Amino acid sequence: MLLISCPNCGSRDETEFHYGGQAHVAYPENPNELNDREWAEFLFYRDNTKGAFAERWLHSTGCRQWFNMLRDTVSYEIQAIYPMGAPRPDAAAPARESGTASLAADSTTTGTAAPSTATTSIAASTSSASTTAPEGATK
Amino acid sequence: MMGDQLPEHPDFLWRNPEPKSSYDAVIVGGGGHGLATAYFLAKNHGMTNIAILEKGWLAGGNMARNTTIIRSNYLWDESAAIYEHALKLWEVLPEELEYDFLFSQRGVMNLAHTLGDVRESMRRVGANKLNGVDAEWLDPQQVKELCPILNINDNIRYPVMGATYQPRAGIAKHDHVAWAFARKCDELGVDIIQNCEVTGFVKDGNRVTGVKTNRGTINTEKVGLCAAGHSSVLAEMAGFRLPIQSHPLQALVSELHEPVHPTVVMSNHVHVYVSQAHKGELVMGAGVDSYNGYGQRGSFHVIEHQMAAAVELFPIFARAHVLRTWGGIVDTTLDASPIVGTTPVDNMFVNCGWGTGGFKGTPAAGLTFAHTIATGTPHELNKPFALERFETGALIDEHGAAAVAH
């Protein structure tokens, strides 16, 4: 079972969460101009990465907020957790190491000790993530 | 009636040849679907200069990990046609392959636990009958007569309100099915090459001309992908995308028991399915993990959920011990139906997206996919399952309609 560190509530069991599929899939900017092939891509085609995969999760039985997670689909290691709308952290860069370390300490609940750029931005933008419309969250 | 029926395992069923430098066709994936495809390519289309490439050992992927259930009680016409054709093939294959893989037509019940379930189930019985699929509606007493260990009391959270029943459905020994196909493939001249992992493809323009492997490059005129959970990884190597998401699906077996469970019982609503293997293990499955994964292991809470459902339906299971659990990687589509047909790459074909139901479809997948590879055009049965349906919108939406959730 995954132990997921919710940016708002701290580490909770996977059973409290709902999986939302691939992150960073933007709604088409000009829907009227899409052909059938492009609609198919938007509706049905998602990456199916073997390795680091950016995906959306909802803390459905907790704060009921969406957030993004970078997770390895082979080892299931959670590499980073970051707000909706924030760019995907680079899993291979040094930021990944500090990001992983910060999750272990559950620092995201206070937002004071997060050493990585990824988790610091979670603490700073938690409220904005819930008030602005994050990309793809409402469809 | 059980263990003493197991056939003796012959010493050698297939050769282990070195890969040749070229073949008329290469099948990627040495599981049930790959083996069945090669068999029908050789038998129906006379293509014998072909190879099956398997990255591990023969039938060691999902073929070794499924719950062996065979049925054809699907709702939509397209699905009923292909799965019913598969069931008809299952009925004749033991004789044709000259290998008794213990296809046991002990029937499959799909329980209904709510009024919505009841209405949906009766609708499916009607649809099945219209499609020539054997189907009956059973009331709780009839359910109890067929499977006496089922709890039909109405004081449980989701009481049994009836069931659909397909008498011709059942189970088969999955390993023996693979070995039966492998032996016939080998007899027909097919090279089965194990420990041969595909690492890329060679293309001439948009046409595939070869397969790169960890044992060298193999030239070929046609490539058929039968890699289940890893189909989108292969497609990416070949330069196209598939509308596939790979999820872990796990199953478990109990220790051996005397024969207690005479049929197959499935419940979509509380989500568990149970049969008793020929040797005596209770074989159980449930849903996939919600998230994408390639790890061949599943979440513990899924097991917890299925065990709770099983014990409520079958109170005598409360003291049974779990012997082992395992996981496979299933390739799911958005409409819960497979993809069998051509791809955006010329001379490359794909058979994938069977999700949690690939085992039962094995013979029809092989037959229709072999037709498509040999002729370059769809078989009548796999035509609706083309990749293009996601573009045209002609989906075959079996989610929740196929008697169990995918």
Side-chain angles (χ1 to χ4, degrees):
Chain A
M1 187 183 295
L2 302 177
L3 182 63
I4 298 174
S5 187
C6 169
N8 303 307
C9 310
S11 293
R12 303 292 179 86
D13 283 348
E14 173 190 337
T15 50
E16 291 195 9
F17 296 84
H18 185 85
Y19 182 66
Q22 185 182 352
H24 309 297
V25 179
Y27 191 80
E29 277 190 36
N30 300 303
N32 293 333
E33 294 168 17
L34 261 53
N35 61 29
D36 288 350
R37 174 71 218 171
E38 289 161 339
W39 271 120
E41 284 282 337
F42 174 68
L43 290 172
F44 301 117
Y45 285 73
R46 294 290 180 270
D47 292 345
N48 191 20
T49 310
K50 190 176 183 181
F53 185 54
E55 58 198 13
R56 305 179 305 172
W57 287 80
L58 170 69
H59 191 187
S60 38
T61 65
C63 59
R64 298 188 291 158
Q65 300 296 305
W66 286 92
F67 57 89
N68 287 337
M69 183 192 291
L70 195 64
R71 185 180 59 91
D72 188 301
T73 58
V74 180
S75 68
Y76 302 158
E77 178 201 7
I78 296 170
Q79 298 171 333
I81 286 177
Y82 58 103
M84 306 290 291
R88 171 184 164 144
D90 183 355
R96 171 189 164 179
E97 293 165 24
S98 57
T100 308
S102 72
L103 294 175
D106 204 12
S107 58
T108 53
T109 51
T110 62
T112 54
S116 76
T117 52
T119 47
T120 303
S121 66
I122 289 170
S125 61
T126 297
S127 58
S128 68
S130 58
T131 51
T132 59
E135 118 284 329
T138 53
K139 67 170 197 301
Chain B
M1 64 167 269
M2 296 259 178
D4 56 356
Q5 290 186 340
L6 294 175
E8 287 295 310
H9 185 194
D11 286 341
F12 296 102
L13 294 172
W14 57 87
R15 299 161 293 128
N16 279 305
E18 286 298 310
K20 294 192 285 188
S21 62
S22 90
Y23 290 96
D24 293 340
V26 165
I27 306 300
V28 182
H33 284 213
L35 289 162
T37 301
Y39 169 70
F40 286 111
L41 271 175
K43 180 196 161 221
N44 291 357
H45 303 280
M47 290 182 68
T48 53
N49 181 31
I50 58 179
I52 299 170
L53 310 184
E54 167 54 50
K55 77 173 172 183
W57 65 94
L58 184 128
N62 287 359
M63 191 64 172
R65 297 162 200 273
N66 69 81
T67 49
T68 78
I69 297 166
I70 292 165
R71 59 188 175 86
S72 63
N73 54 347
Y74 278 69
L75 179 66
W76 301 114
D77 294 352
E78 301 88 343
S79 313
I82 197 165
Y83 285 108
E84 176 59 17
H85 195 78
L87 181 48
K88 284 181 176 148
L89 287 169
W90 284 116
E91 287 171 331
V92 299
L93 273 171
E95 192 173 344
E96 183 176 322
L97 299 174
E98 299 174 283
Y99 196 118
D100 181 8
F101 49 70
L102 300 181
F103 179 37
S104 163
Q105 291 178 288
R106 58 183 67 179
V108 168
M109 276 200 281
N110 291 92
L111 303 180
H113 301 277
T114 67
L115 275 177
D117 275 358
V118 170
R119 293 181 187 124
E120 179 56 39
S121 301
M122 287 179 167
R123 178 193 179 200
R124 186 160 39 76
V125 166
N128 288 162
K129 285 180 174 171
L130 287 170
N131 275 317
V133 176
D134 55 321
E136 298 168 27
W137 170 255
L138 306 178
D139 65 30
Q141 277 308 323
Q142 292 170 308
V143 167
K144 184 81 177 171
E145 279 161 29
L146 263 172
C147 189
I149 58 171
L150 254 172
N151 177 13
I152 61 162
N153 290 341
D154 59 8
N155 61 353
I156 61 176
R157 187 174 180 193
Y158 293 111
V160 174
M161 299 178 73
T164 66
Y165 183 57
Q166 184 181 18
R168 285 165 61 239
I171 59 170
K173 284 287 284 180
H174 53 309
D175 289 335
H176 290 71
V177 171
W179 300 336
F181 274 120
R183 187 177 68 148
K184 275 294 169 195
C185 282
D186 186 80
E187 278 179 18
L188 291 163
V190 176
D191 281 359
I192 298 169
I193 301 163
Q194 302 175 84
N195 299 311
C196 184
E197 183 169 0
V198 171
T199 56
F201 296 98
V202 186
K203 289 204 282 188
D204 178 6
N206 193 44
R207 187 165 56 94
V208 67
T209 59
V211 181
K212 294 180 192 167
T213 79
N214 60 350
R215 294 173 68 175
T217 297
I218 299 168
N219 296 317
T220 184
E221 289 168 22
K222 294 179 174 192
V223 174
L225 306 179
C226 284
H230 278 71
S231 296
S232 47
V233 175
L234 289 169
E236 195 180 339
M237 287 179 193
F240 67 97
R241 289 178 98 195
L242 287 169
I244 290 283
Q245 300 284 287
S246 296
H247 292 264
L249 171 66
Q250 57 189 329
L252 59 90
V253 291
S254 73
E255 63 208 317
L256 309 188
H257 293 283
E258 291 292 314
V260 291
H261 196 292
T263 182
V264 182
V265 173
M266 310 180 70
S267 165
N268 191 0
H269 196 86
V270 301
H271 214 171
V272 67
Y273 42 94
V274 189
S275 64
Q276 187 166 20
H278 292 82
K279 270 192 300 184
E281 306 103 315
L282 298 164
V283 185
M284 295 185 205
V288 300
D289 279 16
S290 66
Y291 50 78
N292 289 21
Y294 287 91
Q296 291 192 326
R297 60 193 166 89
S299 295
F300 187 76
H301 67 87
V302 175
I303 294 178
E304 206 173 17
H305 183 85
Q306 81 186 60
M307 296 289 257
V311 170
E312 187 154 272
L313 291 174
F314 304 93
I316 67 163
F317 291 0
R319 298 179 69 177
H321 295 103
V322 171
L323 193 67
R324 66 180 182 276
T325 72
W326 65 90
I329 304 304
V330 297
D331 48 347
T332 61
T333 60
L334 260 294
D335 65 353
S337 290
I339 299 167
V340 188
T342 56
T343 73
V345 176
D346 295 342
N347 291 4
M348 181 175 279
F349 307 89
V350 69
N351 166 63
C352 67
W354 290 82
T356 61
F359 176 68
K360 72 174 83 70
T362 299
L367 181 101
T368 60
F369 195 43
H371 177 97
T372 302
I373 292 172
T375 65
T377 55
H379 186 280
E380 191 185 338
L381 289 170
N382 69 3
K383 204 172 185 176
F385 296 96
L387 191 53
E388 288 76 23
R389 75 175 184 273
F390 295 96
E391 208 167 310
T392 61
L395 303 177
I396 306 160
D397 192 3
E398 287 288 355
H399 262 297
V404 70
H406 287 260

